[in-house]
């Protein structure tokens, strides 16, 4: 209800409202509100509904699977075609150069980068739901594929002995066999990535990307940018290095680069540095004056054409031993079968690549979908990219997603639909069929420099860390941890480590009243994450409840001995020490706890101990700074049997150290799951479940207020002071 008006005819205060209702836990809420009975449909009814067919449903399903049937009939030829043509040409030129450059990251012959910039676009044109993304290679994904390629086909596997005219044997690398094997591996990875993505789309598993939070993706892509930078640095310098992969590979590569720095090719270094400088300056001009420049300056294309002309005219390869492209095949290769026997070796890496590629594409797609007010279907995107990668894998391509810079070109040059994408594919096709030979004199250092210049956006993400730290320290830590782990461990292991670390932070702190700890679980709780969650719970509350319980038992055992000797007195107000005698209980707390001592029978004595004050015995009992613990289950969609069993143990452990545990904001079916798994008993009842966290907090505050009124002793005790009452008959009974 609205707040009342002010005095003297003042206008009512409309900036806030006040709501009054009872504090609801699970029991009294069900008593006051009748549960609506939902009759679940039988399996037969669900199958009938799913399998039923009508003309309208058939059209709807067809349009869902082939989105082109939805947008192509509505295509505004007069308004959009010219813009799409201009955009397609601009994007196609950039895609051609980026395809060549990103092939260096994969470790395959450069010409295969052109195939990878062409084939994935064709299926996506029919199946994709984003109108603006440019489908093709992306440096992060290319580097992840390259790490698989280099680990499975290193140079060492293709060394052969060759005899020269002097009769001396020389070890050479069979580059033809090596390149053929690497192409087979990269295309097989693309094929398997496509299968994984297609299965995710068919089984509606698009939600899996939710586990890749923005801080995690930001840290991962920044680390990937560092990995890309180092991998291209050796090409810009044209120094010989081994191909390292896995843990600390970036460190080993840097060490070898600096060891061989004296062998730097000056011609390649100058060409690379000039390319980086010019590209970055012109890109900055494009960004600053994008409202005044109708079409962004295609600086990569211009630099490449100029560099190719200079390299050809000055004959840099022969005069300065510059590393050039040398050979780009014309036309297409016939389709090949994937190496199915490799699936077992590459399944883990392919899974990571499939998720990262999809996450990047959908993230970029959503930005432009929001800007232009249309929706993209996450599951359909999985299907579209899955089929694109399967199709392109058959034509010797490496895995595709979208590139941020290329998509920005497509959108900023006026692209309206995927017609621009298909026109860009036509430009790449022309390069494959007719123009490839003209680029053979191009220095590889120029292509590597183009890759480095396009990393600026990913490196700029470092600026997000201070903002994240101000907004959420946990998110900032996820970003930094994922970035460092991906740099040190490699991209695959780094992504896994970052994901595990992010899941360990699912227990997040919220604003808490004094003496109350509120923990939020932000994911389902099941067998795979329950152990990590339990460890995270211990680190968050600052102690192990079981250890606290055992330490308290040990302290009470020593206190009891002193009471029996008359050196301490137990009263209703606490323990009184006899200061006239020495306290023999102050011995070091280093002896292991003897379970046999817990079985010593004693007469019944009631002891009241303030566990947060200094104890009369020297036992290191961890402090418990709160009396109530609230688990916010608002984001817990389900629990499995293992999670229920562990949660019950957690509740009992906290109850034994006098910390009341409450669960709030739970979904309705959670109670049913707990009932089926025998969660409730004589001590754990449904009364600990509350409708909201606020209900639970108000209940706790009411309990404290009621206790203060009933017992004057507690008037002197703050809400954080912990009292523990133990009635000793047998220590062994208490221990059990």
């Amino acid at each position: 209800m609205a707040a009342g008006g002010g005095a003297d005819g003042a206008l009512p205060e409309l900036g806030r409202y006040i709501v009054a209702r009872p504090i609801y836990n699970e029991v009294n809420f069900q008593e006051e509100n009748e549960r609506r009975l939902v009759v679940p449909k039988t399996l037969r009814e669900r199958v009938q509904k799913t399998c039923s067919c009508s003309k309208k449903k058939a059209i709807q399903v067809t349009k869902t699977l082939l989105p082109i049937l939805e947008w192509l009939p509505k295509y505004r030829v007069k308004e959009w075609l010219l813009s799409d043509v201009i955009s397609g040409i601009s994007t196609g030129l950039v895609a051609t150069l980026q395809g060549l450059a990103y092939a260096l990251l994969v470790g395959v012959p450069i010409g295969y980068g052109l195939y990878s910039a062409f084939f994935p676009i064709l299926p996506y044109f029919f199946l994709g739901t984003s109108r603006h993304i440019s489908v093709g290679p992306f440096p992060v994904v290319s580097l992840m594929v390259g790490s698989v390629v280099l680990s499975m086909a290193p140079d060492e596997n293709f060394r052969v002995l060759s005899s020269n005219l002097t009769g001396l044997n020389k070890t050479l690398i069979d580059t033809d066999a090596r390149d053929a094997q690497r192409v087979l591996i990269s295309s097989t990875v693309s094929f398997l990535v496509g299968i994984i993505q297609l299965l995710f789309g068919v089984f509606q598993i698009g939600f899996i990307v939710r586990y890749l939070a923005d801080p995690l993706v930001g840290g991962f892509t920044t680390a990937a940018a560092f990995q890309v930078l180092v991998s291209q640095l050796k090409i810009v310098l044209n120094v010989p290095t081994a191909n390292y992969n896995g843990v600390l590979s970036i460190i080993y590569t840097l060490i070898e680069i600096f060891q061989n720095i004296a062998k730097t090719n000056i011609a390649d270094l100058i060409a690379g540095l000039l390319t980086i400088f010019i590209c970055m300056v012109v890109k900055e001009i494009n960004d600053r004056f994008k409202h005044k420049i109708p079409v962004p300056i295609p600086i990569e294309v211009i630099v490449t054409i100029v560099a190719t002309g200079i390299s050809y005219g000055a004959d840099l390869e022969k005069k300065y031993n510059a590393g050039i492209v040398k050979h780009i095949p014309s036309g297409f290769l016939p389709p090949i079968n994937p190496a199915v026997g490799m699936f077992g070796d590459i399944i883990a890496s392919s899974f990571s690549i499939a998720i990262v590629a999809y996450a990047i594409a959908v993230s970029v797609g959503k930005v432009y979908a929001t800007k232009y007010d249309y929706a993209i279907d996450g599951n359909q995107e999985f299907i579209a990219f899955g089929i694109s990668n399967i199709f392109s894998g058959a034509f010797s391509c490496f895995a595709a997603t979208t590139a941020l810079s290329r998509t920005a070109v497509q959108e900023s040059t006026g692209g309206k639909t995927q017609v621009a994408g298909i026109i860009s594919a036509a430009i790449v096709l022309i390069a494959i069929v007719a123009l490839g030979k003209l680029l053979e004199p191009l220095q590889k250092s120029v292509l590597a420099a183009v890759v480095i210049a396009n990393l600026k956006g990913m490196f700029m993400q470092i600026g997000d860390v201070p903002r994240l730290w101000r907004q959420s320290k946990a998110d900032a830590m996820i970003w930094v941890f994922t970035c460092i782990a991906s740099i040190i461990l490699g991209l695959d292991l780094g992504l896994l480590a970052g994901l595990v670390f992010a899941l360990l932070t699912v227990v997040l702190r919220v604003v808490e009243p004094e003496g109350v700890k509120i923990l939020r679980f932000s994911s389902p709780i099941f067998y795979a994450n329950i152990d990590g969650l339990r460890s995270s719970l211990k680190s968050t509350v600052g102690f192990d409840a079981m250890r606290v319980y055992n330490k308290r038992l040990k302290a009470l055992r020593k206190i009891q001995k002193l009471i029996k000797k008359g050196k301490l007195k137990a009263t209703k107000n606490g323990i009184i020490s006899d200061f006239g005698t020495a306290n023999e209980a102050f011995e070091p707390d280093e002896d292991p706890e003897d379970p046999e001592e817990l079985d010593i029978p004693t007469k019944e004595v009631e002891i009241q101990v303030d566990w947060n004050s200094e104890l009369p015995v020297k036992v290191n009992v961890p402090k418990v700074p709160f009396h109530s613990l609230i688990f916010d289950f608002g984001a817990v969609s389900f629990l499995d049997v293992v999670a229920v069993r562990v949660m019950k143990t957690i509740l009992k452990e906290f109850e034994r150290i006098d910390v009341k545990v409450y669960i709030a904001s739970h979904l309705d079916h959670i109670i049913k799951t707990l009932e089926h798994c025998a969660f409730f008993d004589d001590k754990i009842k449904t009364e600990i479940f509350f409708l909201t966290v606020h209900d639970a907090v108000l209940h706790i505050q009411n309990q404290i207020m009621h206790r203060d009124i009933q017992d004057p002793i507690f008037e002197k005790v703050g809400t954080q002071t912990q009292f523990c009452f133990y009635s000793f008959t047998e220590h062994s009974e208490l221990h059990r």
Side-chain angles (χ1 to χ4, degrees):
M1 58 182 177
D8 301 326
L11 290 174
E13 188 180 348
L14 300 177
R16 67 189 185 95
Y17 67 88
I18 301 171
V19 175
R21 66 164 176 82
I23 298 173
Y24 283 130
N25 64 11
E26 181 67 21
V27 175
N28 56 38
F29 181 75
Q30 295 300 339
E31 288 175 353
E32 292 190 17
N33 299 273
E34 183 179 358
R35 185 190 299 271
R36 195 176 80 177
L37 182 62
V38 179
V39 180
K41 292 183 179 180
T42 64
L43 177 61
R44 181 179 178 181
E45 290 173 336
R46 291 199 296 268
V47 170
Q48 283 180 341
K49 182 178 179 180
T50 304
C51 298
S52 63
C53 187
S54 63
K55 182 179 179 180
K56 182 179 179 180
K57 187 173 182 179
I59 294 174
Q60 183 181 0
V61 170
T62 304
K63 286 184 176 180
T64 301
L65 295 176
L66 290 171
I68 189 174
L69 300 178
E70 180 69 33
W71 63 264
L72 191 59
K74 302 175 184 177
Y75 189 81
R76 304 174 190 173
V77 177
K78 294 182 179 179
E79 297 179 34
W80 293 349
L81 183 58
L82 181 59
S83 298
D84 278 341
V85 169
I86 295 173
S87 174
I89 293 172
S90 303
T91 307
L93 293 172
V94 175
T96 300
L97 269 299
Q98 288 187 352
L100 293 171
Y102 296 157
L104 296 174
L105 296 174
V106 181
V108 297
I110 289 175
Y112 290 89
L114 293 178
Y115 301 150
S116 301
F118 172 73
F119 283 105
I121 299 175
L122 304 181
Y124 191 86
F125 177 73
F126 297 96
L127 301 170
T129 58
S130 174
R131 303 174 192 171
H132 293 89
I133 65 172
S134 174
V135 179
F138 181 62
V140 173
V141 175
S142 299
L143 188 65
M144 293 179 75
V145 175
S147 67
V148 180
V149 169
L150 295 178
S151 65
M152 296 186 66
D155 290 340
E156 292 76 15
N157 291 2
F158 301 93
R159 295 189 186 278
V160 293
L161 290 176
S162 175
S163 300
N164 54 23
L165 296 176
T166 62
L168 297 175
N169 291 330
K170 186 178 181 181
T171 302
L172 299 175
I173 295 176
D174 186 350
T175 55
D176 290 339
R178 181 200 64 185
D179 291 345
Q181 182 68 6
R182 289 182 175 180
V183 168
L184 179 62
I185 294 170
S186 66
S187 61
T188 302
V189 169
S190 177
F191 193 89
L192 185 53
V193 164
I195 291 175
I196 293 170
Q197 291 176 328
L198 180 60
L199 291 175
F200 280 177
V202 169
F203 292 106
Q204 308 282 295
I205 314 181
F207 69 87
I208 196 171
V209 215
R210 297 174 189 170
Y211 291 97
L212 296 180
D214 289 344
L216 187 144
V217 173
F220 174 76
T221 52
T222 304
F226 278 104
Q227 296 270 16
V228 171
L229 175 63
V230 172
S231 70
Q232 297 307 286
L233 182 61
K234 62 184 181 182
I235 298 175
V236 171
L237 299 174
N238 194 7
V239 295
T241 64
N243 292 316
Y244 296 101
N245 184 55
V247 178
L248 298 178
S249 60
I250 190 171
I251 307 297
Y252 296 140
T253 303
L254 283 172
I255 290 173
E256 192 164 358
I257 286 174
F258 285 110
Q259 286 176 343
N260 296 324
I261 197 74
K263 299 178 182 179
T264 299
N265 186 292
I266 301 300
D268 284 331
L269 176 61
I270 293 173
L273 292 178
L274 284 175
T275 301
I276 293 172
F277 176 76
I278 294 171
C279 286
M280 294 189 73
V281 169
V282 176
K283 282 177 177 291
E284 186 66 24
I285 293 173
N286 285 339
D287 288 340
R288 292 196 176 188
F289 301 99
K290 58 185 176 183
H291 299 296
K292 297 182 179 180
I293 303 176
V295 176
I297 302 170
I299 187 60
E300 293 100 333
V301 177
I302 295 172
V303 166
T304 301
I305 293 173
V306 173
T308 303
I310 293 174
S311 177
Y312 178 76
D315 199 4
L316 295 180
E317 182 191 17
K318 290 184 179 179
K319 292 182 179 179
Y320 300 99
N321 198 28
I324 64 172
V325 172
K326 287 187 179 180
H327 177 66
I328 298 178
S330 298
F332 294 100
L333 297 175
I336 61 172
N337 294 321
V340 179
M342 295 182 183
F343 280 8
D345 298 325
I346 63 176
I347 182 67
S349 299
S350 298
F351 183 86
S352 301
I353 295 169
I355 298 299
V356 171
Y358 171 79
I360 292 170
V362 170
S363 299
V364 175
K366 283 184 177 179
V367 170
Y368 292 103
T370 302
K371 182 176 180 179
Y372 291 97
D373 193 25
Y374 66 91
I376 63 173
D377 184 339
N379 288 306
Q380 180 62 25
E381 288 296 293
F382 254 137
I383 293 174
F385 277 102
I387 294 177
S388 292
N389 281 313
I390 291 173
F391 177 73
S392 57
F395 288 93
S396 304
C397 303
F398 45 88
T401 176
T402 186
L404 283 71
S405 58
R406 200 168 58 244
T407 298
V409 169
Q410 182 164 315
E411 185 267 341
S412 61
T413 51
K416 305 296 182 184
T417 65
Q418 280 301 324
V419 170
I422 208 70
I423 292 173
S424 71
I427 300 299
V428 178
L429 175 63
I430 293 172
I432 292 172
V433 174
L435 301 180
K437 290 288 182 183
L438 300 178
L439 295 174
E440 290 182 351
L442 178 64
Q443 290 170 269
K444 289 183 179 180
S445 65
V446 173
L447 291 176
V450 169
V451 174
I452 293 172
N454 279 287
L455 298 176
K456 177 188 172 184
M458 285 188 278
F459 281 124
M460 293 296 289
Q461 294 178 120
I462 297 174
D464 294 341
V465 178
R467 175 183 58 81
L468 282 173
W469 185 259
R470 290 190 299 269
Q471 295 175 351
S472 169
K473 290 180 174 57
D475 284 347
M477 290 174 65
I478 291 172
W479 196 105
V480 173
F481 180 87
T482 305
C483 183
I484 295 174
S486 299
I487 290 173
I488 295 175
L489 302 178
L491 295 180
D492 289 348
L493 290 177
L495 177 63
L496 178 61
L499 185 58
V500 171
F501 183 79
L503 289 175
L504 289 178
T505 62
V506 296
V507 182
L508 303 177
R509 303 187 185 194
V510 295
V511 179
E512 301 156 346
E514 188 178 13
V516 179
K517 177 69 66 178
I518 304 172
L519 304 177
R520 184 173 186 269
F521 297 79
S522 57
S523 72
I525 307 175
F526 55 104
Y527 70 94
N529 67 0
I530 187 63
D531 289 335
L533 187 144
R534 189 171 186 176
S535 300
S536 181
L537 173 62
K538 291 177 183 178
S539 62
T540 303
V541 300
F543 58 84
D544 182 342
M546 192 64 182
R547 182 172 179 270
V548 172
Y549 176 70
N550 289 332
K551 288 293 184 180
R552 287 186 180 182
L553 284 180
K554 186 174 182 179
L556 284 167
R557 188 172 65 244
K558 293 185 176 183
I559 290 172
Q560 184 198 21
K561 288 181 179 179
L562 292 179
I563 291 173
K564 289 174 65 177
K565 293 178 180 180
K567 296 177 182 179
L568 289 176
K569 294 180 181 179
T571 70
K572 67 175 184 178
N573 293 328
I575 301 169
I576 301 174
S577 176
D578 185 356
F579 296 102
T581 59
N583 192 340
E584 297 176 1
F586 275 83
E587 70 269 9
D589 183 29
E590 298 175 355
D591 57 311
E593 296 176 8
D594 186 1
E596 294 182 0
E597 285 193 47
L598 298 176
D599 294 328
I600 302 173
T602 64
K603 64 181 180 180
E604 186 172 340
V605 177
E606 186 179 83
I607 301 176
Q608 177 178 299
V609 181
D610 179 358
W611 291 111
N612 283 341
S613 65
E614 185 177 350
L615 299 177
V617 291
K618 192 173 182 181
V619 177
N620 183 22
V621 180
K623 299 292 189 293
V624 179
F626 53 87
H627 51 71
S628 300
L629 180 61
I630 301 175
F631 291 153
D632 181 355
F633 269 31
V636 179
S637 56
F638 72 89
L639 295 92
D640 67 0
V641 177
V642 177
V644 171
R645 185 171 63 248
V646 175
M647 288 301 298
K648 185 172 183 177
T649 302
I650 291 172
L651 262 65
K652 287 185 176 295
E653 288 177 355
F654 278 102
E655 288 288 343
R656 287 197 299 183
I657 60 172
D658 300 312
V659 174
K660 297 292 183 183
V661 181
Y662 304 92
I663 296 175
S665 303
H666 56 282
L667 299 176
D668 193 48
H669 70 272
I670 293 294
I671 295 290
K672 294 181 180 177
T673 301
L674 297 176
E675 289 174 346
H676 292 156
C677 296
F679 180 79
F680 299 105
D681 54 26
D682 294 339
K683 294 184 178 180
I684 302 178
K685 301 181 182 297
T686 53
E687 282 82 353
I688 68 170
F689 287 80
F690 285 83
L691 204 61
T692 66
V693 172
H694 191 56
D695 283 301
V697 171
L698 291 177
H699 170 78
I700 293 167
Q701 291 176 340
N702 283 344
Q703 292 291 102
I704 293 172
M705 187 181 301
H706 179 73
R707 184 184 65 184
D708 291 349
I709 294 172
Q710 294 294 320
D711 192 345
I713 292 176
F714 288 93
E715 293 177 1
K716 302 177 183 178
V717 182
T719 55
Q720 278 190 295
T721 304
Q722 300 299 302
F723 283 85
C724 186
F725 296 88
Y726 287 89
S727 179
F728 283 84
T729 54
E730 278 193 320
H731 280 89
S732 58
E733 181 181 348
L734 182 66
H735 186 66
R736 286 195 294 268

